Coordinates of all heavy atoms in Angstrom, one line a residue:
A123 N 50.6 151.4 88.0 CA 51.0 152.4 87.0 C 50.0 153.5 87.0 O 48.8 153.3 87.2 CB 51.0 151.7 85.6
P124 N 50.4 154.7 86.8 CA 49.5 155.9 86.8 C 48.5 155.8 85.6 O 48.9 155.3 84.5 CB 50.4 157.1 86.6 CG 51.7 156.5 86.0 CD 51.8 155.1 86.5
A125 N 47.3 156.2 85.8 CA 46.3 156.1 84.8 C 46.6 157.2 83.7 O 47.2 158.2 84.0 CB 44.9 156.4 85.4
P126 N 46.3 156.9 82.4 CA 46.6 157.9 81.4 C 45.7 159.2 81.6 O 44.6 159.1 82.1 CB 46.2 157.2 80.1 CG 45.3 156.1 80.5 CD 45.7 155.7 81.9
H127 N 46.4 160.3 81.2 CA 45.7 161.6 81.4 C 44.5 161.6 80.4 O 44.6 161.2 79.3 CB 46.6 162.7 81.1 CG 46.1 164.0 81.6 ND1 45.3 164.9 80.9 CD2 46.3 164.7 82.8 CE1 45.0 166.0 81.6 NE2 45.7 165.8 82.8
P128 N 43.3 162.1 80.8 CA 42.1 162.1 79.9 C 42.3 163.0 78.7 O 41.6 162.8 77.7 CB 41.0 162.6 80.9 CG 41.7 163.3 82.0 CD 43.0 162.6 82.2
S129 N 43.2 164.0 78.8 CA 43.3 164.9 77.6 C 44.2 164.2 76.5 O 44.2 164.7 75.4 CB 44.0 166.2 78.0 OG 45.2 166.0 78.6
A130 N 44.8 163.2 76.8 CA 45.7 162.5 75.8 C 44.8 161.8 74.9 O 44.0 161.0 75.3 CB 46.7 161.6 76.5
T131 N 45.0 162.0 73.6 CA 44.3 161.3 72.6 C 45.2 160.5 71.8 O 46.4 160.8 71.5 CB 43.5 162.3 71.7 OG1 44.5 163.2 71.1 CG2 42.5 163.1 72.5
A132 N 44.7 159.3 71.3 CA 45.5 158.4 70.5 C 45.8 159.0 69.1 O 44.8 159.5 68.5 CB 44.8 157.1 70.4
Q133 N 47.0 159.1 68.7 CA 47.3 159.6 67.4 C 47.6 158.4 66.5 O 48.2 157.4 67.0 CB 48.6 160.5 67.5 CG 48.4 161.7 68.3 CD 47.4 162.7 67.7 OE1 47.2 162.7 66.4 NE2 46.7 163.5 68.5
P134 N 47.2 158.4 65.3 CA 47.5 157.3 64.4 C 49.0 157.2 64.2 O 49.7 158.1 63.9 CB 46.8 157.7 63.1 CG 46.6 159.1 63.1 CD 46.5 159.5 64.6
A135 N 49.5 156.0 64.3 CA 50.9 155.7 64.1 C 51.3 155.8 62.6 O 50.5 155.4 61.8 CB 51.3 154.3 64.6
A136 N 52.5 156.4 62.4 CA 52.9 156.5 61.0 C 53.4 155.1 60.5 O 54.0 154.4 61.2 CB 54.1 157.5 61.0
T137 N 53.0 154.9 59.3 CA 53.3 153.6 58.7 C 54.7 153.6 58.1 O 55.0 154.4 57.3 CB 52.3 153.3 57.5 OG1 51.0 153.3 58.0 CG2 52.6 151.9 56.9
A138 N 55.5 152.8 58.7 CA 56.9 152.8 58.3 C 57.1 151.9 57.0 O 56.4 150.9 56.9 CB 57.8 152.2 59.4
A139 N 58.0 152.3 56.2 CA 58.2 151.6 54.9 C 58.9 150.3 55.3 O 59.8 150.3 56.2 CB 59.0 152.4 54.0
P140 N 58.5 149.2 54.7 CA 59.2 147.9 55.0 C 60.7 147.9 54.6 O 61.0 148.4 53.6 CB 58.4 146.9 54.2 CG 57.8 147.7 53.1 CD 57.5 149.0 53.6
A141 N 61.5 147.4 55.5 CA 62.9 147.4 55.3 C 63.2 146.3 54.3 O 62.6 145.2 54.3 CB 63.7 147.2 56.6
P142 N 64.2 146.5 53.4 CA 64.5 145.5 52.5 C 65.1 144.3 53.2 O 65.8 144.4 54.2 CB 65.6 146.2 51.6 CG 66.1 147.3 52.4 CD 65.0 147.7 53.3
A143 N 64.8 143.1 52.7 CA 65.2 141.9 53.4 C 66.7 141.8 53.2 O 67.3 142.1 52.1 CB 64.6 140.7 52.7
A144 N 67.3 141.4 54.3 CA 68.8 141.3 54.3 C 69.2 140.0 53.5 O 68.6 138.9 53.7 CB 69.4 141.2 55.7
T145 N 70.2 140.2 52.7 CA 70.6 139.0 51.9 C 71.6 138.2 52.7 O 72.6 138.8 53.2 CB 71.3 139.5 50.6 OG1 70.4 140.3 49.9 CG2 71.8 138.3 49.8
P146 N 71.3 137.0 53.0 CA 72.2 136.2 53.8 C 73.5 136.0 53.1 O 73.6 135.7 51.9 CB 71.5 134.8 54.0 CG 70.5 134.8 52.8 CD 70.1 136.2 52.5
T147 N 74.6 136.2 53.9 CA 75.9 136.0 53.3 C 76.6 134.9 54.1 O 76.4 134.7 55.3 CB 76.7 137.3 53.5 OG1 76.8 137.7 54.9 CG2 76.1 138.4 52.7
A148 N 77.3 134.2 53.4 CA 78.0 133.0 54.0 C 79.2 133.5 54.9 O 80.0 134.3 54.4 CB 78.6 132.1 53.0
T149 N 79.1 133.2 56.2 CA 80.2 133.6 57.1 C 81.2 132.4 57.3 O 80.8 131.4 57.8 CB 79.6 134.0 58.4 OG1 78.6 135.1 58.2 CG2 80.7 134.5 59.4
P150 N 82.4 132.6 56.9 CA 83.3 131.5 57.0 C 83.6 131.2 58.5 O 83.7 132.1 59.3 CB 84.6 132.0 56.3 CG 84.5 133.5 56.3 CD 83.0 133.8 56.3
T151 N 83.6 130.0 58.9 CA 83.9 129.6 60.3 C 85.4 129.5 60.5 O 86.1 128.7 59.8 CB 83.2 128.2 60.6 OG1 81.8 128.3 60.3 CG2 83.5 127.8 62.0
A152 N 85.8 130.3 61.4 CA 87.3 130.3 61.6 C 87.7 129.1 62.5 O 87.1 128.9 63.6 CB 87.7 131.6 62.3
T153 N 88.5 128.3 62.0 CA 89.0 127.2 62.8 C 90.4 127.4 63.2 O 91.3 127.6 62.4 CB 89.0 125.9 61.9 OG1 87.6 125.7 61.4 CG2 89.4 124.7 62.7
A154 N 90.6 127.5 64.5 CA 91.9 127.8 65.1 C 92.8 126.6 64.9 O 92.4 125.5 65.3 CB 91.8 128.1 66.6
A155 N 93.9 126.8 64.3 CA 94.9 125.7 64.1 C 95.6 125.4 65.4 O 96.0 126.3 66.1 CB 95.9 126.1 63.0
T156 N 95.7 124.1 65.6 CA 96.4 123.7 66.8 C 97.9 123.8 66.6 O 98.4 123.4 65.6 CB 96.1 122.2 67.1 OG1 94.6 122.1 67.2 CG2 96.7 121.8 68.4
T157 N 98.5 124.5 67.6 CA 99.9 124.7 67.5 C 100.6 123.6 68.4 O 100.2 123.5 69.6 CB 100.3 126.1 68.0 OG1 99.6 127.0 67.2 CG2 101.8 126.3 67.9
Y158 N 101.6 123.0 67.9 CA 102.3 121.9 68.6 C 103.7 122.4 68.9 O 104.3 123.1 68.1 CB 102.4 120.6 67.8 CG 101.0 120.0 67.6 CD1 100.3 120.3 66.4 CD2 100.4 119.2 68.6 CE1 99.1 119.7 66.2 CE2 99.1 118.7 68.3 CZ 98.5 118.9 67.1 OH 97.2 118.4 66.9
A159 N 104.2 122.0 70.0 CA 105.6 122.4 70.4 C 106.6 121.7 69.5 O 106.4 120.5 69.1 CB 105.9 122.0 71.9
N160 N 107.7 122.4 69.2 CA 108.7 121.8 68.3 C 109.7 121.0 69.2 O 110.9 121.3 69.3 CB 109.5 122.9 67.6 CG 110.4 122.3 66.5 OD1 110.2 121.2 66.0 ND2 111.5 123.1 66.2
N161 N 109.2 119.9 69.8 CA 110.0 119.0 70.6 C 109.3 117.6 70.5 O 108.4 117.4 69.8 CB 110.1 119.4 72.0 CG 108.7 119.7 72.7 OD1 107.7 119.1 72.3 ND2 108.7 120.6 73.7
L162 N 109.9 116.7 71.2 CA 109.5 115.3 71.1 C 108.0 115.2 71.5 O 107.2 114.5 70.8 CB 110.3 114.4 71.9 CG 110.0 112.9 71.9 CD1 110.0 112.3 70.5 CD2 110.9 112.1 72.8
D163 N 107.6 115.8 72.5 CA 106.2 115.8 73.0 C 105.3 116.3 71.9 O 104.2 115.7 71.6 CB 106.0 116.6 74.3 CG 104.6 116.6 74.8 OD1 104.1 115.5 75.3 OD2 103.9 117.6 74.7
G164 N 105.6 117.5 71.3 CA 104.8 118.1 70.3 C 104.7 117.2 69.0 O 103.7 117.1 68.4
W165 N 105.9 116.6 68.6 CA 105.9 115.7 67.4 C 105.0 114.5 67.6 O 104.2 114.2 66.7 CB 107.3 115.3 67.1 CG 108.3 116.4 66.9 CD1 108.0 117.6 66.4 CD2 109.7 116.4 67.2 NE1 109.1 118.4 66.3 CE2 110.2 117.7 66.8 CE3 110.6 115.5 67.7 CZ2 111.5 118.0 67.0 CZ3 111.9 115.8 67.9 CH2 112.4 117.1 67.5
I166 N 105.0 113.9 68.8 CA 104.2 112.7 69.0 C 102.7 113.1 69.0 O 101.9 112.4 68.4 CB 104.6 112.1 70.3 CG1 106.0 111.5 70.3 CG2 103.6 110.9 70.7 CD1 106.5 110.9 71.6
K167 N 102.4 114.2 69.6 CA 101.0 114.7 69.7 C 100.5 115.0 68.3 O 99.3 114.7 67.9 CB 100.8 115.8 70.6 CG 101.0 115.5 72.1 CD 100.8 116.7 73.0 CE 101.0 116.3 74.4 NZ 100.9 117.5 75.3
Q168 N 101.3 115.7 67.4 CA 100.9 116.0 66.1 C 100.7 114.8 65.2 O 99.8 114.7 64.4 CB 101.9 117.0 65.5 CG 101.5 117.5 64.1 CD 102.4 118.6 63.5 OE1 103.4 119.0 64.2 NE2 102.2 119.0 62.3
A169 N 101.6 113.8 65.4 CA 101.5 112.6 64.7 C 100.3 111.8 65.1 O 99.6 111.2 64.2 CB 102.8 111.7 65.0
L170 N 99.9 111.8 66.3 CA 98.7 111.1 66.8 C 97.4 111.8 66.1 O 96.5 111.1 65.8 CB 98.6 111.2 68.3 CG 99.5 110.2 69.1 CD1 99.4 110.5 70.6 CD2 99.1 108.8 68.8
S171 N 97.5 113.1 66.0 CA 96.4 113.8 65.3 C 96.2 113.4 63.9 O 95.1 113.1 63.4 CB 96.6 115.3 65.4 OG 95.6 116.0 64.7
V172 N 97.3 113.2 63.1 CA 97.3 112.8 61.7 C 96.8 111.3 61.7 O 96.0 110.9 60.8 CB 98.7 113.0 61.1 CG1 98.7 112.4 59.7 CG2 99.1 114.4 61.1
M173 N 97.3 110.5 62.6 CA 97.0 109.1 62.6 C 95.5 108.9 62.9 O 94.8 108.0 62.3 CB 97.8 108.4 63.7 CG 99.3 108.2 63.4 SD 100.3 107.8 64.8 CE 99.5 106.3 65.3
A174 N 94.9 109.8 63.8 CA 93.5 109.7 64.0 C 92.6 110.0 62.8 O 91.6 109.4 62.6 CB 93.1 110.6 65.2
Q175 N 93.1 110.9 61.9 CA 92.4 111.2 60.7 C 92.4 110.1 59.7 O 91.5 109.9 58.8 CB 93.0 112.5 60.1 CG 92.9 113.7 60.9 CD 93.6 114.9 60.4 OE1 94.1 114.8 59.2 NE2 93.7 116.0 61.1
H176 N 93.5 109.2 59.8 CA 93.6 108.1 58.8 C 93.4 106.7 59.5 O 93.7 105.7 58.9 CB 95.0 108.1 58.2 CG 95.2 109.3 57.3 ND1 95.6 110.6 57.8 CD2 95.2 109.5 56.0 CE1 95.7 111.4 56.8 NE2 95.5 110.8 55.7
N177 N 92.8 106.7 60.7 CA 92.5 105.5 61.4 C 93.7 104.6 61.6 O 93.6 103.4 61.5 CB 91.4 104.7 60.7 CG 90.1 105.5 60.6 OD1 89.7 106.1 61.6 ND2 89.4 105.4 59.5
I178 N 94.8 105.2 61.9 CA 96.0 104.4 62.2 C 96.1 104.2 63.7 O 96.2 105.2 64.5 CB 97.3 105.1 61.7 CG1 97.2 105.3 60.2 CG2 98.5 104.3 62.0 CD1 98.3 106.1 59.6
P179 N 96.1 103.0 64.2 CA 96.1 102.8 65.7 C 97.5 103.2 66.3 O 98.5 103.2 65.6 CB 95.8 101.3 65.9 CG 96.4 100.7 64.6 CD 96.1 101.7 63.5
G180 N 97.5 103.5 67.6 CA 98.7 103.8 68.3 C 98.4 104.7 69.4 O 97.5 105.5 69.4
T181 N 99.2 104.6 70.5 CA 99.1 105.5 71.7 C 100.4 106.3 71.9 O 101.4 106.0 71.3 CB 98.8 104.7 72.9 OG1 99.9 103.8 73.2 CG2 97.5 103.9 72.7
Y182 N 100.3 107.3 72.7 CA 101.4 108.1 73.0 C 102.5 107.3 73.7 O 103.7 107.3 73.3 CB 101.0 109.2 74.0 CG 102.1 110.2 74.3 CD1 102.1 111.5 73.7 CD2 103.1 110.0 75.2 CE1 103.1 112.4 74.0 CE2 104.1 110.9 75.5 CZ 104.1 112.1 74.9 OH 105.0 113.0 75.2
D183 N 102.1 106.4 74.6 CA 103.1 105.6 75.3 C 103.8 104.6 74.4 O 105.0 104.4 74.5 CB 102.4 104.8 76.5 CG 101.9 105.8 77.6 OD1 102.4 106.9 77.7 OD2 101.0 105.3 78.3
G184 N 103.0 104.0 73.5 CA 103.7 103.1 72.6 C 104.7 103.7 71.7 O 105.7 103.2 71.4
I185 N 104.3 104.9 71.1 CA 105.2 105.7 70.3 C 106.4 106.1 71.0 O 107.6 105.9 70.5 CB 104.5 106.9 69.6 CG1 103.3 106.4 68.7 CG2 105.4 107.7 68.8 CD1 102.4 107.5 68.2
Y186 N 106.2 106.7 72.2 CA 107.4 107.2 73.0 C 108.3 106.1 73.3 O 109.5 106.2 73.2 CB 106.8 107.9 74.2 CG 107.9 108.4 75.1 CD1 108.5 109.7 74.9 CD2 108.4 107.7 76.2 CE1 109.5 110.2 75.7 CE2 109.4 108.2 77.0 CZ 109.9 109.5 76.7 OH 110.9 110.0 77.5
R187 N 107.8 104.9 73.8 CA 108.6 103.8 74.2 C 109.5 103.3 73.0 O 110.7 103.1 73.2 CB 107.7 102.7 74.7 CG 108.5 101.4 74.9 CD 107.6 100.4 75.7 NE 106.2 100.3 75.1 CZ 105.9 99.6 74.1 NH1 106.8 98.9 73.4 NH2 104.6 99.6 73.7
N188 N 109.0 103.2 71.8 CA 109.7 102.8 70.6 C 110.7 103.8 70.2 O 111.8 103.5 69.7 CB 108.8 102.4 69.5 CG 108.2 101.0 69.7 OD1 108.8 100.0 69.4 ND2 107.0 101.0 70.2
I189 N 110.4 105.1 70.3 CA 111.3 106.2 69.9 C 112.5 106.2 70.8 O 113.7 106.2 70.3 CB 110.6 107.5 69.9 CG1 109.6 107.7 68.8 CG2 111.6 108.7 69.9 CD1 108.9 109.0 68.8
M190 N 112.3 106.0 72.1 CA 113.5 106.0 73.0 C 114.4 104.8 72.8 O 115.6 104.9 73.0 CB 113.0 106.1 74.4 CG 112.2 107.3 74.8 SD 113.0 108.9 74.4 CE 114.4 108.8 75.5
R191 N 113.8 103.7 72.3 CA 114.6 102.5 72.1 C 115.4 102.7 70.8 O 116.6 102.3 70.7 CB 113.8 101.3 72.0 CG 114.6 100.0 71.9 CD 113.7 98.8 71.6 NE 113.0 98.8 70.4 CZ 111.7 99.0 70.3 NH1 111.0 99.1 71.4 NH2 111.1 99.0 69.1
E192 N 114.8 103.3 69.8 CA 115.4 103.3 68.4 C 116.4 104.5 68.3 O 117.4 104.3 67.7 CB 114.3 103.4 67.4 CG 113.4 102.2 67.3 CD 114.1 101.0 66.8 OE1 115.1 101.1 66.1 OE2 113.7 99.9 67.1
S193 N 116.0 105.7 68.8 CA 116.9 106.8 68.5 C 117.1 107.7 69.7 O 117.8 108.7 69.6 CB 116.2 107.7 67.4 OG 115.0 108.2 67.9
S194 N 116.6 107.3 70.9 CA 116.7 108.2 72.1 C 116.2 109.6 71.9 O 116.6 110.5 72.6 CB 118.2 108.2 72.5 OG 118.7 106.9 72.8
G195 N 115.2 109.7 71.0 CA 114.6 111.0 70.8 C 115.3 111.9 69.8 O 114.9 113.1 69.7
D196 N 116.3 111.5 69.1 CA 117.1 112.3 68.1 C 116.5 112.2 66.7 O 116.6 111.1 66.1 CB 118.5 111.9 68.1 CG 119.4 112.7 67.2 OD1 118.9 113.8 66.7 OD2 120.5 112.4 67.0
P197 N 115.8 113.2 66.2 CA 115.2 113.1 64.9 C 116.2 113.0 63.7 O 115.9 112.6 62.6 CB 114.4 114.4 64.7 CG 115.1 115.4 65.6 CD 115.6 114.6 66.8
N198 N 117.5 113.3 64.0 CA 118.6 113.2 63.0 C 119.4 112.0 63.1 O 120.5 111.9 62.5 CB 119.5 114.5 63.1 CG 118.7 115.7 62.9 OD1 117.9 115.8 61.9 ND2 118.9 116.8 63.7
A199 N 118.9 111.0 63.9 CA 119.7 109.8 64.1 C 119.7 109.0 62.8 O 118.7 108.8 62.1 CB 119.1 109.0 65.2
V200 N 120.9 108.4 62.4 CA 121.1 107.6 61.2 C 122.0 106.4 61.6 O 123.0 106.5 62.3 CB 121.8 108.3 60.1 CG1 122.0 107.4 58.9 CG2 120.9 109.5 59.7
N201 N 121.5 105.2 61.3 CA 122.2 104.0 61.6 C 123.1 103.6 60.4 O 122.6 103.2 59.3 CB 121.3 102.8 62.0 CG 122.0 101.6 62.5 OD1 123.1 101.3 62.1 ND2 121.3 100.8 63.3
N202 N 124.4 103.7 60.5 CA 125.3 103.4 59.4 C 126.1 102.1 59.6 O 127.1 101.8 58.9 CB 126.3 104.5 59.2 CG 125.7 105.8 58.7 OD1 124.8 105.7 57.8 ND2 126.0 106.9 59.4
W203 N 125.7 101.2 60.5 CA 126.5 100.0 60.8 C 125.7 98.7 60.7 O 126.3 97.6 60.6 CB 127.1 100.1 62.2 CG 126.1 100.3 63.3 CD1 125.7 101.5 63.8 CD2 125.3 99.3 63.9 NE1 124.7 101.3 64.7 CE2 124.5 100.0 64.9 CE3 125.3 97.9 63.9 CZ2 123.6 99.3 65.7 CZ3 124.4 97.3 64.7 CH2 123.6 97.9 65.6
D204 N 124.3 98.7 60.6 CA 123.6 97.4 60.6 C 123.5 96.9 59.2 O 124.0 97.4 58.2 CB 122.2 97.6 61.3 CG 121.3 98.5 60.5 OD1 121.8 99.1 59.5 OD2 120.2 98.7 60.9
S205 N 122.7 95.8 59.1 CA 122.5 95.2 57.7 C 121.8 96.1 56.7 O 122.1 96.0 55.5 CB 121.7 93.8 57.9 OG 120.4 94.1 58.5
N206 N 120.9 96.9 57.2 CA 120.3 97.8 56.3 C 121.3 98.8 55.7 O 121.2 99.2 54.5 CB 119.1 98.6 57.0 CG 117.9 97.7 57.3 OD1 117.6 96.8 56.6 ND2 117.3 97.9 58.5
A207 N 122.1 99.3 56.6 CA 123.2 100.2 56.1 C 124.1 99.5 55.1 O 124.5 100.1 54.1 CB 124.0 100.8 57.3
A208 N 124.4 98.3 55.4 CA 125.3 97.5 54.5 C 124.6 97.3 53.1 O 125.3 97.3 52.1 CB 125.6 96.2 55.1
A209 N 123.3 97.3 53.1 CA 122.6 97.1 51.9 C 122.3 98.4 51.2 O 121.8 98.5 50.1 CB 121.2 96.4 52.1
G210 N 122.7 99.5 51.8 CA 122.6 100.8 51.2 C 121.4 101.6 51.6 O 121.1 102.7 51.0
T211 N 120.6 101.0 52.5 CA 119.4 101.7 53.0 C 119.4 101.9 54.5 O 118.8 101.1 55.2 CB 118.1 101.0 52.6 OG1 118.2 99.6 53.1 CG2 118.0 100.9 51.1

Side-chain angles (χ1 to χ4, degrees):
H127 197 273
S129 61
T131 56
Q133 298 293 333
T137 303
T145 303
T147 56
T149 303
T151 302
T153 303
T156 304
T157 303
Y158 298 96
N160 188 27
N161 54 27
L162 181 59
D163 178 74
W165 300 331
I166 295 176
K167 289 179 179 178
Q168 186 175 354
L170 286 171
S171 177
V172 176
M173 291 165 58
Q175 297 173 10
H176 294 82
N177 297 321
I178 301 173
T181 64
Y182 186 102
D183 292 338
I185 296 173
Y186 180 83
R187 171 168 45 83
N188 282 277
I189 286 177
M190 297 309 294
R191 185 188 64 250
E192 294 294 335
S193 65
S194 299
D196 181 10
N198 298 316
V200 177
N201 187 333
N202 292 314
W203 54 268
D204 64 357
S205 59
N206 289 324
T211 55

